[in-house]
Amino acid sequence: MGNRQVRLDLLAGAASVAVLSFMAGAPAAFAQDAVKADEPATLDAVVVTGSRIKRPNLVSASPMTVVGSDEVKFQGATSIDSVLNRLPQFTADSNENGSNGSDGTARVNLRNMGSSRVLVLVDGQRMLPTETADVNFIPSALVDRVDVVTGGASAVYGSDAVSGVVNFILKKNLNGLRFDAQYSTAQHTNDNAYPRSLISQANYKLPDKHVRDGEKIDVNLAIGMNAPNDKGNVTFYVGYREMKPVTQDSRDYSACGLNLAGTNNNALVCGGSSNNEYGLFTLLSGPNAGQTLNNTKDGAKTWVPYTSAFLYNYAPTNYIQRSDARYTAGAFAHYEVSKAAEIYGSVMFMDDHTFSQAAPSALFQGTTFKINCDNPLMSASQRATLCGPAAGTSVNQDVFIGYRLTGPGSSPRRDDLRHTDYRVNLGSRGEIAPGWTYDASFLFSTVILDESYKNNVDNAKAMKALQVVNVGGVATCKSVVDGTDPNCVPIDVFKYQGLSAAAYKYLYAPTYTHGVQREKVLSANVNGDLGQYGIKSPWAADGAALAFGVEHRREELKFEADALAQAGGTKENNGAFSVNEAYGELDLPLVQDAPFIKTLSVNAGYRTSDYNYLDKRVSTYKVELQYAPTSDVRFRASYNRAVRAANISELFAPQGLGNVSAVDPCSGPTPKASAAACALTGVTAAQYGKIPDCPAETCVTQGGGNPKLNPEVADTRTAGFVLTPRFLPGFSMSVDYFDIYVDKYIGAVDAPTVINQCVQTSNPYFCGLFHRDPTSGVLFGDRGYIVATNQNTGYLQTSGIDVTGNYRWDLSSLGDLGEVDFSFVGTYLNSRKIEQLPGLGSYNCKGLFGPTCGQPNPAWRHQMRVTWNLPWVNASLSANWRYFGATDLSSNDSNPFLQGDYVEINRKIKAYNYIDLAANWKVREQLTLRAGMNNLFDKDPPVIAAGLLSSFGNGNTYPGVYDPMGRTMFVGLTMDF
């Protein structure tokens, strides 16, 4: 990104600060620190995320942002990940707007370092196994607050807390009944002239001008009661959420798959997949081997040379919002038997059933099919072209076929995903001796995934259905004649819509897989207030505080697949690992209430971990320092060494094939890469210039686990200050710098980098990752792919500055006008560097998006909410400003690891501003109503060529980053009895 754009992004942040400063009527800037230094609390309430030590005056030295339940309601959120993704610290991950290839989960990605590097907690304990940490498990109506801590916290919580921690604090201790219900819908006007013109030029159906869809219903009921003498409480909850699906043909930006076109790629066109409804044939053997032909559109059995005029628009049936039905239930309980024993526990359950949907299946290119030269379904001209002199004989010829099943009897492919999760926690806590407390617990969680992929072609059946002979004037499968498959139905792929209803029924075959992951955690820790025993600094009133403990964790994975799924390349697998850990933490006030030193304290922690699959133990540690010269300002700094051991999926996940957005530079009649460069990727001289393109710019990669992975090692450094000036009551501000460096990160080298580096540099490592189909040379199908299995690679590094703030403006001086609350959170991204292999060289994705950098990484993002609390009625009006800075296309960058073909049309995504409105009215003590509107001005997401999108791209845009549905409206109520 250029310096001008950086200045514009910083100006946007400065403008928001200036507005609040003016409204505050004070010369100071505004902001909000997530932890308020002077906020009183009971010991039970003091659970500081990022520390095991419990005492009322403890405050975090790590940068922390807190999202309260009011913010969840103001957003009308039914998915808690959508709330977090609005924060500038987060980048969207798996979510409800993903479809083809989605795993049906909702995950969080802190600092854009991957969802596997953020530890998700529920009330300070692990939610689920990290790689299956689906936050759909958390009903949004049950959230009291969310603590977000930046930086390594492995010394406190163990592995996975590399980029930070997300801790969901849930509502408990309900004494009565609470009912909460919400309904929302999207309303959008399709008036984006450019994509509408492209759709019209392609003679595709235009989306309706005005649409209303995407309804969501969320209903939750909680019942709780206190024990006699308030010694305990039990709270039960149940919930149901439903999301209606939305297909991509309902929006003009997504109604067709968009491809690049024109000089310097200065335009877009409605493209699509070469696996088309008329039928494509690439001849792999015979006299015309290497030719790519297509059935004519008129239904005649005639082949003509394939052109882009035959491309199939795969977009209309794809989802831009998945269908989803979720049930949740659970209970929380605690009872104080004595001061020495308070028994507590919880049970949480989720059943989430979702469908992703994609275009109808096909006989896809990449699988080598055999057609016998006496197949009676071919015309004479087709037999002659395919077989030459062998026409009419039983000789077989090899072909790729791209025949989309769109006729009567066809259905879109649907991935039926059902996640069933259980979490049980049981423990005891209490006082051991004066100043000493303990907490011992057992946590058990299970994640079950049942998946069925429906309406997909069984290639084994298709191969039989293509082997057809004439029996008494009737086209009959050879497998019927020889008795190997008496149910076989011939398929006439030699003309447009040649398949019968019986053929569809024969070809379609669902696959089934079943996966189970379990996590067991036994933990015990002790907290001690050493000040009660006189152990303290001579210059401090408060004594030292100590926490230490042990933990045992075991994770197990079992994955099963039916015979058909295994025939398609899915592999069964299972594995397990365990770890034993010991840890300690010390908080020591050094100086208090001295001249120029209100507080000076240090906090240190250490953890040692013994994994059963590693040869040696690993250690993590932290040191934090806080200094407050007065109660108006507090400075803080920290250093954390974190370690992330490979999770069970990274270790044991079966190797399999999957799609990736990429372009093979060695494909097509005039390849972009030279013959010499392509030879390094495995292209033979005979194949050069004859290799088919990856359909719809979608090639194939091979991914999977690696049991020999070593742990990642991460260093986090933070430094900042917190302002709480006494002369401006209600105002607080924090500014924090962060720098996170992850060495030997676990991952795979992405396909675009492999392709570019091999072709541009001839690096043997990258060229060795190509596995071309030995017959055709393609990088798709079941025999052509790029290897992308897990390995310890280079490094990840990110740094930046967080600014958070809060101010309450009392309007009484202007009359009886109530109060106005301002809250702000913004992040300046200083760098996001990646080195994919040690010593290879790095690239910086700050301010970029695209094939290698992924989703947009703007230099500046912020969210600012202004809420007016009305004095005349118990109600509030709220407006929210979301700002997402501009980003440039990474493949236009001069860095050799990013550089690709220049693209003019998508060279930049401009800065985006969204305005949201909400209102809350407490009608009476038992009834509160709320309503709101997000994306008030119905702003369209950016329109991006499908080939430039990477992970989590869908519908020609990034739907987790930009609002894909248009304007959304919600109404809700809460009733308390």
Side-chain angles (χ1 to χ4, degrees):
M1 180 181 291
N3 291 332
R4 179 176 180 273
Q5 185 58 53
V6 172
R7 289 195 298 271
L8 289 173
D9 284 339
L10 290 175
L11 199 58
S16 59
V17 171
V19 168
L20 283 176
S21 296
F22 172 77
M23 296 302 293
F30 90 104
Q32 168 189 339
D33 185 28
V35 180
K36 295 179 175 58
D38 299 322
E39 185 175 299
T42 65
L43 186 59
D44 287 339
V46 177
V47 178
V48 178
T49 303
S51 176
R52 294 281 185 179
I53 291 173
K54 300 179 181 180
R55 60 177 176 186
N57 60 349
L58 183 68
V59 291
S60 174
S62 298
M64 181 158 60
T65 300
V66 173
V67 179
S69 59
D70 285 347
E71 179 64 26
V72 177
K73 291 186 181 298
F74 277 140
Q75 292 187 22
T78 59
S79 304
I80 197 64
D81 62 300
S82 66
V83 177
L84 296 177
N85 287 339
R86 286 191 179 185
L87 295 175
Q89 297 96 328
F90 288 86
T91 299
D93 204 87
S94 179
N95 60 76
E96 66 200 44
N97 301 116
S99 186
N100 193 8
S102 171
D103 64 0
T105 64
R107 303 175 190 265
V108 292
N109 179 2
L110 182 60
R111 302 298 181 192
N112 204 7
M113 304 196 84
S115 59
S116 62
R117 295 183 181 88
V118 55
L119 182 59
V120 181
L121 307 175
V122 173
D123 294 325
Q125 295 184 317
R126 289 174 180 263
M127 181 179 75
L128 296 168
T130 300
E131 65 274 25
T132 55
D134 181 3
V135 296
N136 280 320
F137 190 65
I138 305 293
S140 57
L142 204 66
V143 172
D144 186 48
R145 73 174 198 271
V146 187
D147 294 346
V148 179
V149 177
T150 289
S154 290
V156 177
Y157 298 110
S159 182
D160 306 321
V162 172
S163 61
V165 171
V166 175
N167 189 11
F168 292 99
I169 308 300
L170 303 184
K171 295 175 181 177
K172 302 176 287 292
N173 296 315
L174 177 65
N175 191 25
L177 182 149
R178 173 170 294 166
F179 174 78
D180 188 273
Q182 183 173 290
Y183 169 83
S184 65
T185 186
Q187 183 275 324
H188 180 63
T189 299
N190 285 304
D191 57 0
N192 194 327
Y194 185 55
R196 291 183 76 83
S197 68
L198 300 179
I199 298 167
S200 297
Q201 291 168 18
N203 294 317
Y204 295 152
K205 181 179 181 296
L206 280 168
D208 293 340
K209 188 75 170 179
H210 302 283
V211 293
R212 189 180 70 81
D213 51 22
E215 291 86 356
K216 300 178 183 179
I217 300 171
D218 193 22
V219 180
N220 295 273
L221 176 67
I223 303 173
M225 63 189 73
N226 290 334
N229 301 319
D230 292 332
K231 283 184 170 290
N233 178 273
V234 59
T235 299
F236 301 90
Y237 73 90
V238 294
Y240 173 73
R241 184 192 69 186
E242 182 179 2
M243 299 182 186
K244 298 293 186 182
V246 179
T247 51
Q248 291 182 15
D249 60 354
S250 67
R251 300 294 189 274
D252 48 22
Y253 67 84
S254 61
C256 70
L258 294 175
N259 291 349
L260 294 168
T263 305
N264 289 328
N265 296 308
N266 65 351
L268 297 173
V269 295
C270 279
S273 172
S274 55
N275 295 302
N276 62 79
E277 68 264 49
Y278 305 104
L280 173 148
F281 296 81
T282 297
L283 311 186
L284 303 177
S285 64
N288 293 297
Q291 288 192 29
T292 299
L293 307 170
N294 217 90
N295 293 331
T296 55
K297 295 182 179 182
D298 59 4
K301 294 192 174 186
T302 304
W303 283 342
V304 295
Y306 170 81
T307 69
S308 60
F310 290 104
L311 285 172
Y312 171 73
N313 182 18
Y314 55 81
T317 55
N318 284 20
Y319 283 158
I320 195 67
Q321 177 176 292
R322 292 195 317 274
S323 66
D324 185 88
R326 182 193 69 179
Y327 294 89
T328 54
F332 307 98
H334 63 92
Y335 184 77
E336 184 181 344
V337 180
S338 67
K339 286 188 176 182
E342 181 185 19
I343 308 300
Y344 66 90
S346 65
V347 177
M348 300 180 70
F349 164 81
M350 179 192 77
D351 180 80
D352 186 67
H353 192 193
T354 187
F355 287 89
S356 69
Q357 181 168 289
S361 188
L363 277 69
F364 286 109
Q365 299 172 72
T367 298
T368 300
F369 293 102
K370 294 182 181 295
I371 299 177
N372 54 299
C373 291
D374 56 350
N375 188 317
L377 297 176
M378 281 192 292
S379 67
S381 64
Q382 289 171 329
R383 278 195 296 270
T385 302
L386 177 65
C387 303
T393 71
S394 60
V395 171
N396 287 320
Q397 300 291 2
D398 293 338
V399 297
F400 280 165
I401 301 177
Y403 193 97
R404 188 76 61 166
L405 276 62
T406 60
S410 172
S411 298
R413 285 168 290 164
R414 286 172 67 80
D415 197 359
D416 183 341
L417 298 151
R418 178 168 233 129
H419 292 85
T420 307
D421 300 347
Y422 304 87
R423 183 180 185 272
V424 180
N425 180 36
L426 180 65
S428 176
R429 59 195 172 211
E431 185 177 311
I432 303 172
W436 291 93
T437 61
Y438 76 95
D439 191 335
S441 66
F442 171 69
L443 174 65
F444 173 78
S445 61
T446 298
V447 175
I448 302 170
L449 170 61
D450 288 300
E451 181 176 11
S452 175
Y453 201 73
K454 304 178 186 297
N455 305 330
N456 200 32
V457 170
D458 180 348
N459 280 337
K461 289 184 176 181
M463 290 179 181
K464 296 176 183 177
L466 288 167
Q467 290 287 305
V468 180
V469 293
N470 189 331
V471 178
V474 178
T476 307
C477 295
K478 287 184 178 181
S479 59
V480 172
V481 176
D482 62 24
T484 56
D485 185 0
N487 297 316
C488 179
V489 177
I491 54 174
D492 187 354
V493 297
F494 306 104
K495 67 175 182 178
Y496 174 49
Q497 293 197 357
L499 271 65
S500 66
Y504 279 101
K505 187 175 181 180
Y506 173 69
L507 288 176
Y508 283 155
T511 60
Y512 298 92
T513 58
H514 174 77
V516 180
Q517 284 193 243
R518 293 188 175 92
E519 182 179 57
K520 302 172 185 177
V521 183
L522 280 167
S523 62
N525 67 77
V526 174
N527 255 265
D529 181 2
L530 303 183
Q532 295 192 29
Y533 298 89
I535 302 175
K536 61 182 180 178
S537 165
W539 303 284
D542 293 331
L546 177 69
F548 59 89
V550 294
E551 187 169 283
H552 169 80
R553 178 162 53 94
R554 177 178 174 82
E555 295 191 21
E556 303 169 356
L557 166 68
K558 184 176 182 180
F559 180 78
E560 301 170 307
D562 68 2
L564 186 57
Q566 293 185 55
T570 302
K571 297 182 180 180
E572 297 188 320
N573 204 19
N574 62 79
F577 75 83
S578 63
V579 57
N580 295 311
E581 300 179 286
Y583 58 87
E585 183 180 357
L586 175 68
D587 186 73
L588 178 62
L590 299 173
V591 183
Q592 291 178 318
D593 297 321
F596 306 108
I597 305 178
K598 178 69 175 178
T599 300
L600 176 64
S601 65
V602 63
N603 180 286
Y606 177 83
R607 177 181 288 253
T608 180
S609 305
D610 183 13
Y611 286 85
N612 67 340
Y613 67 92
L614 296 178
D615 294 332
K616 59 182 181 179
R617 304 177 73 91
V618 295
S619 299
T620 62
Y621 44 87
K622 68 168 185 172
V623 178
E624 300 175 341
L625 183 68
Q626 297 195 67
Y627 166 58
T630 71
S631 58
D632 297 329
V633 60
R634 174 166 52 92
F635 299 94
R636 56 190 181 187
S638 69
Y639 168 78
N640 285 266
R641 162 61 62 90
V643 170
R644 188 182 80 86
N647 62 47
I648 198 165
S649 293
E650 291 168 331
L651 290 168
F652 303 114
Q655 293 187 356
L657 303 179
N659 293 337
V660 63
S661 293
V663 176
D664 183 355
C666 300
S667 65
T670 55
K672 294 180 180 179
S674 67
C678 290
L680 297 174
T681 75
V683 176
T684 66
Q687 291 171 339
Y688 187 74
K690 299 179 180 179
I691 297 176
D693 295 326
C694 291
E697 299 183 346
T698 303
C699 298
V700 171
T701 61
Q702 181 194 59
N706 179 358
K708 297 182 179 180
L709 292 171
N710 292 315
E712 301 174 345
V713 178
D715 293 313
T716 300
R717 296 170 176 86
T718 67
F721 62 86
V722 181
L723 294 177
T724 52
R726 288 168 291 179
F727 64 83
L728 190 60
F731 174 85
S732 64
M733 174 182 181
S734 69
V735 178
D736 288 283
Y737 170 81
F738 63 90
D739 186 303
I740 306 173
Y741 179 92
V742 183
D743 193 26
K744 299 178 181 177
Y745 76 92
I746 297 168
V749 182
D750 64 81
T753 298
V754 172
I755 293 170
N756 291 339
Q757 287 300 299
C758 176
V759 172
Q760 294 176 11
T761 69
S762 302
N763 187 305
Y765 173 82
F766 290 104
C767 294
L769 297 177
F770 283 80
H771 186 283
R772 291 189 176 275
D773 185 309
T775 302
S776 62
V778 299
L779 288 176
F780 56 90
D782 53 6
R783 297 197 298 170
Y785 51 84
I786 293 172
V787 177
T789 51
N790 291 328
Q791 57 184 301
N792 287 104
T793 55
Y795 71 78
L796 305 173
Q797 186 271 340
T798 188
S799 64
I801 298 173
D802 287 336
V803 181
T804 61
N806 185 23
Y807 178 66
R808 170 161 289 185
W809 184 20
D810 186 349
L811 301 177
S812 58
S813 60
L814 303 177
D816 187 16
L817 297 177
E819 298 172 327
V820 178
D821 290 332
F822 300 89
S823 63
F824 175 88
V825 55
T827 296
Y828 171 74
L829 181 65
N830 182 58
S831 66
R832 182 176 179 263
K833 296 180 180 179
I834 300 172
E835 183 184 64
Q836 294 204 344
L837 287 174
L840 182 68
S842 64
Y843 53 90
N844 190 347
C845 285
K846 171 191 174 182
L848 300 177
F849 78 96
T852 300
C853 285
Q855 297 182 97
N857 300 271
W860 176 259
R861 288 176 62 187
H862 74 241
Q863 178 172 251
M864 185 175 76
R865 182 172 293 282
V866 181
T867 303
W868 181 21
N869 300 309
L870 303 178
W872 316 289
V873 64
N874 197 350
S876 58
L877 304 175
S878 188
N880 188 48
W881 171 27
R882 290 178 280 147
Y883 177 84
F884 198 93
T887 53
D888 296 324
L889 182 62
S890 61
S891 55
N892 288 349
D893 195 271
S894 60
N895 187 296
F897 297 101
L898 300 176
Q899 191 173 28
D901 293 336
Y902 183 79
V903 175
E904 174 64 28
I905 185 71
N906 286 142
R907 63 185 178 84
K908 179 186 287 289
I909 299 176
K910 66 181 181 180
Y912 264 66
N913 293 276
Y914 292 106
I915 301 297
D916 312 316
L917 300 179
N920 190 63
W921 176 28
K922 192 166 187 176
V923 181
R924 59 185 65 182
E925 192 64 30
Q926 295 83 16
L927 175 62
T928 303
L929 304 178
R930 62 183 182 273
M933 187 178 297
N934 296 315
N935 189 4
L936 176 65
F937 299 109
D938 191 21
K939 195 175 184 69
D940 286 335
V943 180
I944 304 168
L948 299 177
L949 299 172
S950 56
S951 56
F952 308 116
N954 187 30
N956 304 318
T957 194
Y958 291 107
V961 177
Y962 305 98
D963 290 12
M965 301 298 294
R967 180 187 298 113
T968 58
M969 300 164 287
F970 66 90
V971 292
L973 62 85
T974 302
M975 301 179 68
D976 291 294
F977 301 98

